[in-house]
């Protein structure tokens, strides 16, 4: 009874040291694929949770809280997290070499390259065979993973680097976007570095607020566990006191019963003796009367 529903959370403090990427599964240490959301609000890949359910209950590998699952034995998909994963710059599933059509899986993207001049991906072999020629010496070739990350630094409309941020529209702007804006809207623009620093400050404040909430939640959990333990101990003491009281009452009732039965038996014996004496006396008078 004492703290039953809270006991799985005793190791929550260990999670602070995990330092996991928010888009990486805690079990397989890979980017989420079909992320599922448990009742305790922890996420895991569907493949990592498959087969773990017992009697329609799935125990969270992190906190131990049990979630009720039905049908496939998996919790519902976390659509928000899936959207974040799909929107991430690291979410490309595969790439195809523009020269030899070689398909490269996500886990092998580090072996692929991208020619910014040709605007096409290249495998390692084609990079050596085709782009080592003198005519390609001025081509800018970078790692595909680096290009995937850098591409999000450029404006999708003008292919220019982002340099400004609009606090009015909450969007990044390249030089052409800034130039095409109405004059009154330019007053709401700040440089991208300032926007980044302000965003970091807001994020730090949000993280601190979340940590304070976590701390207060843990303190509330500890307090509730102590209260439940106190209630449990109090109930045990009350139960012991009630059992002792009734046991004493039963003993006293048994003694009272024994005493009353003894009194009744004594009265019966006295009356029986008196009646027998009277009967004997009457029996002795009968011959005389006859």
């Amino acid at each position: 009874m004492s703290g039953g529903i809270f006991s799985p959370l005793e190791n929550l403090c260990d999670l602070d040291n995990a330092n996991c990427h928010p888009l990486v599964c805690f079990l397989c240490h890979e980017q989420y694929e079909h992320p599922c959301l448990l009742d305790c609000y922890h996420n895991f890949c569907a493949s990592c949770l498959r087969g773990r359910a017992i009697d329609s209950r799935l125990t969270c590998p992190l906190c131990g809280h049990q979630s009720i699952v039905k049908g496939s034995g998996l919790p519902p998909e976390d659509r928000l997290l899936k959207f974040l994963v799909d929107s991430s710059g690291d979410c490309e599933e595969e790439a195809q070499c523009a020269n030899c059509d070689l398909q490269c899986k996500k886990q092998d993207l580090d072996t692929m390259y991208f020619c910014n001049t040709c605007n096409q991906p290249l495998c390692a072999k084609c990079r050596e065979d085709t782009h080592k020629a003198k005519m390609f010496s001025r081509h800018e070739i970078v790692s595909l993973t680096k290009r995937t990350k850098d591409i999000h630094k450029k404006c999708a409309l003008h292919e220019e680097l982002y340099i400004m941020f609009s606090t009015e529209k909450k969007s990044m702007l390249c030089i052409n976007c800034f130039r095409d804006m109405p004059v009154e809207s330019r007053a709401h623009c700040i440089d991208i570095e300032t926007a980044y620093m302000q965003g970091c400050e807001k994020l730090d404040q949000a993280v601190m607020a979340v940590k304070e909430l976590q701390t207060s939640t843990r303190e509330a959990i500890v307090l509730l566990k102590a209260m439940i333990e106190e209630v449990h101990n109090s109930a045990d003491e009350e139960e012991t006191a009630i059992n002792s009281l009734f046991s004493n009452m039963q003993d006293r009732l048994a003694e009272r019963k024994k005493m009353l039965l003894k009194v009744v038996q004594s009265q019966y014996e006295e009356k029986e003796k008196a009646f027998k004496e009277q009967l004997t006396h009457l029996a002795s008078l009968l011959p005389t009367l006859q």
Side-chain angles (χ1 to χ4, degrees):
M1 176 180 177
S2 62
I5 62 174
F6 298 108
S7 55
L9 300 178
E10 291 174 353
N11 296 326
L12 261 182
C13 295
D14 297 338
L15 301 183
D16 294 337
N17 300 323
N19 196 25
C20 291
H21 191 284
L23 301 183
V24 172
C25 176
F26 185 82
L27 292 179
C28 63
H29 304 292
E30 297 289 342
Q31 196 171 61
Y32 284 112
E33 291 186 4
H34 305 292
C36 295
L37 179 65
L38 299 179
D39 292 346
C40 55
Y41 298 102
H42 287 136
N43 295 94
F44 302 95
C45 297
S47 58
C48 295
L49 295 178
R50 188 169 287 110
R52 288 175 174 262
I54 301 176
D55 297 331
S56 298
R57 292 183 177 273
L58 183 61
T59 302
C60 175
L62 275 180
C63 68
H65 182 76
Q66 289 190 339
S67 303
I68 299 177
V69 293
K70 299 178 180 179
S72 62
L74 291 174
E77 184 180 53
D78 190 336
R79 295 183 180 181
L80 175 58
L81 183 57
K82 186 176 187 302
F83 171 77
L84 293 176
V85 172
D86 293 341
S87 303
S88 169
D90 300 327
C91 67
E92 291 192 12
E93 291 293 333
E94 59 182 27
Q96 183 179 12
C97 177
N99 187 54
C100 66
D101 296 333
L102 175 68
Q103 293 284 350
C104 183
K105 297 296 182 182
K106 179 177 65 175
Q107 58 269 23
D108 299 324
L109 288 182
D110 289 338
T111 63
M112 293 287 289
Y113 297 89
F114 191 86
C115 178
N116 287 329
T117 308
C118 300
N119 198 32
Q120 291 178 336
L122 294 169
C123 66
K125 185 175 185 302
C126 290
R127 177 177 182 269
E128 294 295 327
D129 295 344
T130 62
H131 272 60
K132 284 296 184 180
K134 186 176 181 180
M135 61 181 298
F136 297 112
S137 61
R138 294 183 177 273
H139 284 213
E140 181 187 6
I141 301 176
V142 297
S143 170
L144 182 61
T145 54
K146 181 179 184 300
R147 184 259 177 185
T148 304
K149 296 175 182 178
D150 290 344
I151 194 174
H152 294 278
K153 298 179 181 179
K154 291 185 178 181
C155 174
L157 181 62
H158 302 108
E159 292 294 328
E160 295 287 344
L161 291 174
Y162 290 119
I163 60 171
M164 304 291 288
F165 181 80
S166 172
T167 57
E168 180 183 25
K169 297 182 178 180
K170 306 297 181 183
S171 61
M172 294 185 291
L173 308 170
C174 70
I175 184 62
N176 293 326
C177 294
F178 180 75
R179 181 192 59 198
D180 297 339
M181 288 182 69
V183 176
E184 59 272 13
S185 297
R186 295 182 183 180
H188 300 283
C189 296
I190 57 177
D191 67 273
I192 199 71
E193 292 298 329
T194 302
Y196 174 77
M197 294 302 297
Q198 292 179 356
C200 288
E201 290 177 1
K202 291 182 179 179
L203 182 60
D204 289 340
Q205 293 174 0
V207 169
M208 290 301 298
V210 171
K211 287 186 175 180
E212 290 177 359
L213 178 60
Q214 288 178 336
T215 301
S216 61
T217 302
R218 290 193 180 100
E219 291 175 351
I221 289 173
V222 172
L223 178 60
L224 286 174
K225 288 177 65 177
M227 293 175 63
I228 291 175
E229 184 69 25
E230 183 178 353
V231 170
H232 176 70
N233 294 335
S234 177
D236 288 343
E237 292 175 358
E238 290 291 336
E239 181 180 358
T240 301
I242 291 172
N243 289 334
S244 176
L245 175 62
F246 273 84
S247 178
N248 292 335
M249 291 177 64
Q250 288 175 347
D251 292 341
R252 292 180 181 180
L253 287 173
E255 292 178 0
R256 183 64 176 171
K257 176 183 176 182
K258 184 178 179 181
M259 184 184 68
L260 291 175
L261 290 175
K262 186 176 180 180
V263 170
V264 170
Q265 183 66 24
S266 175
Q267 291 177 352
Y268 167 76
E269 291 176 354
E270 290 177 357
K271 290 181 179 180
E272 183 183 28
K273 182 180 179 182
F275 289 151
K276 284 183 178 180
E277 289 178 352
Q278 291 179 9
L279 183 61
T280 302
H281 178 67
L282 292 174
S284 63
L285 293 176
L286 186 60
T288 305
L289 293 175
Q290 290 179 346

